[in-house]
């Protein structure tokens, strides 16, 4: 099932009785507020039309970005994606991250979405019930605020979920509130936490703050960073930040309310996916045949952090990689893969921005 298309169809059904101008005016108001990048004194989605407009304006893009981040986690080699059965979405609004998780993890059964806006939860519940996906149809929708959520609701036996997601939330909070919701995510998750923010310098800074907070609590980076050290982009003389892009197809309603003509847009986002130190890693036991998980993810693949430049006979890549086999520090460098490299050249030709790539032994 194509959940991106299912979500788009469900959104269009919800908007069928609302004038496009109402949605467009609400989108203009919301865009102005979100660009302010400041903590909100009250819920930004104050009216039902705001919630519906937000869902059309942001939900497909949030779905695409979170899905990309979750796929990177699933492909990291240090997370058993085939055993994910539960997730908690903190500040989840209408549930875009829940849809993304259902798309990536076929074994997902239990989902909880927590938010402070009842109208967002109501819309999210209607959309989920129309999805045709059992995990989404059974989702628990709970009202609450940062610091007061019972984040184990809906998780198996109240003991926490496999995965906690916090997407496009930190920008609405003060630094202290952001730290609190990240701490709540670590309390809610037994195995992994994924945090997604806009792909801007400010969004990247919030991701780094959350990453540092999790590292201090002995969590490990699974993606996108191929190391556990400070971001090497911070050492560059020219300002730079780590971000990626997800291609999002626009519906006709989406195009009208945003005043766009293209059938698609590229959602820029920054993210971090963190895992608790798994018992099989500590014990030196591989998770699956042929995949040696006694090493950290940082000891394997580099991450492509810009669009590859594909030339005749060679590919230029800007990559972030571990500085050595310890994985405790990273570096950014230009890598050139020539046609003489054989399979590695084919891999580089097929690779895209944000992909992991094996550039051979290092250190």
């Amino acid at each position: 099932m194509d959940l991106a298309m299912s979500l788009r169809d469900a959104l269009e059904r919800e908007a069928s009785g609302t004038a496009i101008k109402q949605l467009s005016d609400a989108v203009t108001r919301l865009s102005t507020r979100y660009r302010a990048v400041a903590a909100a004194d009250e819920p930004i989605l104050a009216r039902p039309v705001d919630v519906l407009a937000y869902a059309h304006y942001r939900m497909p893009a949030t779905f695409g970005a979170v899905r990309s981040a979750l796929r990177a986690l699933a492909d990291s080699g240090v997370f058993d994606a085939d055993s994910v059965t539960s997730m908690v979405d903190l500040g989840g609004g209408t549930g875009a991250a829940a849809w993304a998780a259902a798309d990536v993890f076929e074994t997902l059964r239990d989902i909880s979405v927590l938010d402070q806006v009842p109208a967002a939860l109501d819309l999210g519940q209607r959309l989920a019930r129309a999805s045709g996906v059992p995990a989404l149809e059974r989702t628990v929708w709970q009202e609450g605020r940062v610091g007061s959520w019972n984040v184990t609701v809906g998780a198996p036996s109240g003991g926490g979920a496999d995965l906690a997601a916090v997407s496009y939330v930190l920008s609405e909070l003060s630094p202290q509130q952001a730290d609190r919701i990240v701490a709540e995510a670590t309390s809610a998750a037994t195995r992994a936490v994924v945090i997604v923010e806009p792909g801007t310098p400010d969004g990247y800074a919030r991701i780094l703050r959350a990453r540092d907070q999790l590292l201090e609590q002995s969590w490990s980076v699974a993606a996108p960073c191929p190391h556990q050290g400070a971001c090497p982009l911070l050492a560059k003389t020219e300002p730079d930040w780590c971000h990626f892009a997800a291609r999002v197809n626009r519906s006709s309603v989406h195009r009208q309310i945003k005043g766009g003509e293209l059938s698609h847009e590229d959602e820029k986002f920054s993210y971090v996916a963190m895992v608790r130190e798994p018992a099989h890693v500590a014990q030196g036991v591989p998770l699956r045949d042929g995949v040696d998980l006694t090493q950290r993810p940082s000891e394997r693949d580099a991450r492509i952090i810009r669009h590859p430049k594909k030339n005749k006979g060679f590919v230029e890549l800007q990559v972030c990689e571990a500085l050595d086999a310890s994985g405790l520090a990273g570096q950014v460098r230009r890598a050139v893969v020539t046609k003489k490299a054989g399979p590695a050249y084919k891999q580089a030709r097929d690779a895209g921005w944000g992909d992991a790539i094996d550039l051979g032994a290092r250190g």
Side-chain angles (χ1 to χ4, degrees):
M1 180 184 295
D2 183 349
L3 283 191
M5 182 64 73
S6 297
L7 175 58
R8 190 174 79 174
D9 291 345
L11 286 168
E12 292 212 337
R13 286 193 297 271
E14 282 289 334
S16 60
T18 305
I20 292 295
K21 187 177 187 309
Q22 280 186 280
L23 295 174
S24 181
D25 290 346
V27 163
T28 300
R29 291 195 304 272
L30 293 170
S31 297
T32 300
R33 173 58 190 85
Y34 280 113
R35 281 197 294 268
V37 191
D41 295 327
E42 58 185 24
I44 295 174
L45 304 179
R47 301 180 301 170
V49 70
D50 293 334
V51 173
L52 183 58
Y54 172 84
H56 275 279
Y57 167 51
R58 290 299 310 157
M59 202 173 174
T62 300
F63 168 85
V66 176
R67 180 173 62 175
S68 294
L70 293 177
R71 283 175 173 171
L73 170 65
D75 294 340
S76 67
V78 294
F79 183 74
D80 184 6
D82 293 334
S83 65
V84 175
T85 62
S86 56
M87 70 94 67
V88 170
D89 183 9
L90 300 182
T94 52
W99 282 72
D103 189 73
V104 174
F105 304 114
E106 295 182 358
T107 53
L108 190 62
R109 294 197 306 266
D110 299 295
I111 302 172
S112 293
V113 178
L114 302 99
D115 200 87
Q116 66 175 337
V117 181
L121 296 170
D122 290 344
L123 176 57
Q125 186 173 44
R126 293 197 303 273
L127 294 170
R129 286 179 174 174
S131 68
V133 178
L136 289 172
E137 293 171 348
R138 293 193 301 266
T139 296
V140 174
W141 303 84
Q142 182 186 356
E143 183 182 352
R145 290 176 177 270
V146 175
S148 63
W149 286 326
N150 177 7
V151 293
T152 60
V153 169
S157 304
D162 292 319
L163 168 70
V166 181
S167 57
Y168 293 88
V169 175
L170 303 186
S171 64
E172 301 175 25
L173 306 175
S174 69
Q176 294 75 25
Q177 289 174 319
D179 291 346
R180 182 65 180 271
I181 198 173
V182 171
E184 288 178 322
T186 63
S187 297
T190 60
R191 296 173 55 200
V193 170
V194 173
I195 303 173
V196 183
E197 283 288 296
T200 62
D202 286 335
Y204 163 71
R206 290 188 291 271
I207 290 294
L208 288 184
R209 182 183 175 102
R211 180 184 185 271
D212 288 345
Q213 184 177 342
L214 286 160
L215 285 171
E216 289 174 0
Q217 297 177 23
S218 299
W219 287 65
S220 297
V221 182
C225 320
H227 59 85
Q228 308 298 312
C231 178
L233 290 176
L234 296 175
K236 295 184 68 173
T237 54
E238 297 182 1
D240 203 353
W241 67 99
C242 183
H243 64 289
F244 305 95
R247 177 61 56 92
V248 179
N249 291 324
R250 289 170 163 172
S251 68
S252 60
V253 174
H254 193 175
R255 290 196 299 273
Q256 290 179 69
I257 65 175
K258 292 190 72 172
E261 297 181 357
L262 294 178
S263 62
H264 66 270
E265 64 181 11
D266 289 326
E267 171 68 10
K268 305 292 178 59
F269 65 98
S270 295
Y271 77 98
V272 68
M274 309 283 290
V275 294
R276 290 190 188 272
E277 192 70 63
H280 62 267
V281 172
Q283 297 165 4
V285 179
L287 182 63
R288 297 192 187 92
D289 292 341
V291 180
D292 181 10
L293 292 181
T294 62
Q295 303 178 65
R296 290 181 180 272
S298 53
E299 295 175 336
R300 293 192 295 276
D301 294 344
R303 182 74 58 182
I304 301 172
I305 60 173
R306 292 291 181 271
H307 281 298
K309 296 181 179 179
K310 300 176 182 180
N311 307 288
K312 185 175 181 180
F314 68 98
V315 180
E316 296 178 69
L317 303 172
Q318 187 81 0
V319 300
C320 180
E321 64 184 2
L323 189 60
D324 55 39
S326 74
L328 298 178
Q331 66 179 1
V332 171
R333 70 177 178 95
R334 172 178 171 268
V336 177
V337 183
T338 68
K339 201 169 186 178
K340 293 180 181 179
Y345 173 70
K346 184 180 185 304
Q347 184 188 13
R349 292 286 301 179
D350 294 339
W353 180 15
D355 288 345
I357 186 167
D358 183 3
L359 294 175
R362 300 183 298 275

